[in-house]
Amino acid sequence: MKLYPLKFEPIFKYRMWGGNKLETVLNKSISESNIGESWEISAVSGDENKVSQGFLKGKTLPELIEGYKEALLGETVYKRFGGEFPLLIKFIDTAKPLSVQLHPNDDYAKKYHDSFGKNEMWYIMQADDDAEIIVGFDKKSDKESFAASLKDKSIIELLNSEKTKKGDVFHIPTGRIHAIGAGVLLAEIQQTSDVTYRVYDYDRVDTQTGTKRELHIDKAIDVIDFQIEENGYKTAYPSHENESNELIHTPYFKTSFIPLRGSLNKDYSNTDSFVIFICVEGTSELSCQGDSFQLNKGETLLLPACINHITLKGDSADILEVTV
């Protein structure tokens, strides 16, 4: 039987900083409190999403790759990554600030964790009026001054903090220090990796464990990028209706923004990659092979590489389009 556009059952993650917007804004069926992350498409070991509809219902991503190989991933992607799915897609909701953290590159992560590195990006879906994020440095620093700021707990004074709002986009390459502040709901696209180096956590105690969370300062200092981006850290992008507008295109993933205001035909014959659609606003419909699939705000869909022609429809929907 032929492959079709795939939806997955989300995996919900307790986080001490988690809120309730995944349920109240994105309509996720959540019965627990402090759920900070919804893993939408994951092949991380132990956290593999299962298909939620169709004859492949219950199959995990690794099982799909084993069975369909290039037809699912694309020839180039399969040659590059083999049986590993290269991306992890999440929604993140922060009622409290995240720890100040950063991620290693591929070489360092492979050496110490047998993992991919973690390049990532954020698309802000909703932000409270006073919501802020931390991305990069605001003041010149080096390993010595950075270590001293951690010791005397003045690190926040070195960092670039800025107000954020719906539609903001930030690229978080490996080594870039960052933290999501309280009151933010965002979509995150990242390499398949769960390696995070915390450097500062406000001396908080996790009520679920009764202990402070582990810090990873030595490894963080090995890989941190102290460069200041003179042009700022927010990504500017066009938003032409019914077009794929480039957001963040890197060697690890390519994300575009589609403001859908009617109907859009897409031809992926030359893409040679699966495509992930993330609905960040409104309601849309994807049609292909004689079938239609609804995609609501807070839902994610994986289009296998073997499907080249689709139609997207929506009156006022915003879609993130992700390939490798």
Side-chain angles (χ1 to χ4, degrees):
M1 298 178 73
K2 62 185 179 182
L3 278 170
Y4 55 92
L6 301 164
K7 287 186 176 182
F8 295 86
E9 298 173 4
I11 298 171
F12 301 125
K13 293 287 188 176
Y14 163 85
R15 299 290 186 255
M16 62 184 291
W17 41 258
N20 62 3
K21 291 178 184 175
L22 296 173
E23 180 180 12
T24 60
V25 178
L26 301 188
N27 296 310
K28 303 289 183 183
S29 297
I30 297 173
S31 57
E32 304 170 67
S33 58
N34 296 103
I35 298 299
E37 299 185 6
S38 176
W39 288 26
E40 297 288 303
I41 299 182
S42 167
V44 174
S45 179
D47 286 302
E48 300 93 345
N49 293 97
K50 295 180 179 180
V51 177
S52 63
Q53 82 325 352
F55 76 90
L56 292 171
K57 182 176 181 179
K59 295 288 187 181
T60 65
L61 262 178
E63 290 172 335
L64 293 175
I65 294 170
E66 183 179 0
Y68 291 97
K69 300 180 173 65
E70 298 95 338
L72 179 70
L73 297 181
E75 290 185 13
T76 302
V77 177
Y78 186 71
K79 287 178 181 178
R80 180 178 173 188
F81 296 102
E84 296 186 82
F85 194 75
L87 298 183
L88 172 57
I89 308 297
K90 302 176 182 177
F91 294 118
I92 298 178
D93 168 33
T94 61
K96 300 176 182 177
L98 269 70
S99 62
V100 179
Q101 58 188 247
L102 54 99
H103 310 295
N105 61 27
D106 282 347
D107 291 341
Y108 199 91
K110 181 66 177 178
K111 179 179 180 180
Y112 289 100
H113 309 283
D114 193 25
S115 169
F116 291 126
K118 191 175 177 183
N119 286 272
E120 63 187 28
M121 64 157 285
W122 300 333
Y123 177 91
I124 309 300
M125 297 175 66
Q126 186 273 337
D128 295 348
D129 290 341
D130 57 349
E132 295 185 340
I133 61 162
I134 290 171
V135 184
F137 284 91
D138 185 48
K139 296 179 181 178
K140 188 174 181 180
S141 185
D142 55 25
K143 291 185 178 182
E144 290 73 25
S145 60
F146 181 71
S149 76
L150 292 174
K151 188 174 182 179
D152 66 17
K153 302 178 183 179
S154 64
I155 179 176
I156 301 300
E157 298 174 11
L158 298 177
L159 305 179
N160 172 59
S161 180
E162 55 188 271
K163 299 281 189 182
T164 192
K165 64 184 187 305
K166 178 182 176 181
D168 285 349
V169 171
F170 297 92
H171 182 208
I172 314 293
T174 57
R176 179 168 291 174
I177 198 162
H178 60 279
I180 308 170
V184 177
L185 175 67
L186 60 79
E188 180 175 276
I189 296 101
Q190 60 159 94
Q191 289 179 272
T192 291
S193 173
D194 200 26
V195 180
T196 295
Y197 296 156
R198 293 188 204 98
V199 297
Y200 183 64
D201 200 26
Y202 307 94
D203 288 327
R204 292 181 293 193
V205 174
D206 188 336
T207 56
Q208 194 171 82
T209 64
T211 61
K212 295 180 181 179
R213 296 191 297 175
E214 182 182 4
L215 301 179
H216 315 90
I217 294 170
D218 290 344
K219 282 187 168 58
I221 289 178
D222 277 349
V223 300
I224 194 168
D225 180 3
F226 289 107
Q227 180 178 343
I228 297 175
E229 289 292 330
E230 299 297 339
N231 295 322
Y233 293 91
K234 190 182 301 183
T235 299
Y237 60 94
S239 55
H240 304 298
E241 293 184 358
N242 300 323
E243 293 183 21
S244 295
N245 300 275
E246 180 177 329
L247 287 187
I248 304 290
H249 283 199
T250 75
Y252 307 98
F253 53 78
K254 297 177 175 64
T255 303
S256 298
F257 175 66
I258 302 176
L260 194 58
R261 306 294 186 265
S263 181
L264 173 63
N265 295 317
K266 295 287 296 183
D267 182 352
Y268 293 108
S269 300
N270 297 319
T271 301
D272 195 21
S273 168
F274 60 87
V275 185
I276 294 172
F277 297 100
I278 308 168
C279 187
V280 293
E281 187 60 64
T283 298
S284 58
E285 181 182 83
L286 183 150
S287 300
C288 65
Q289 303 179 150
D291 293 315
S292 295
F293 304 83
Q294 187 164 311
L295 192 61
N296 300 316
K297 180 178 180 178
E299 291 186 332
T300 304
L301 183 145
L302 174 64
L303 184 74
C306 61
I307 302 176
N308 293 323
H309 300 279
I310 67 163
T311 299
L312 291 169
K313 294 181 180 179
D315 291 333
S316 56
D318 293 335
I319 307 293
L320 301 184
E321 174 192 45
V322 187
T323 62
V324 173

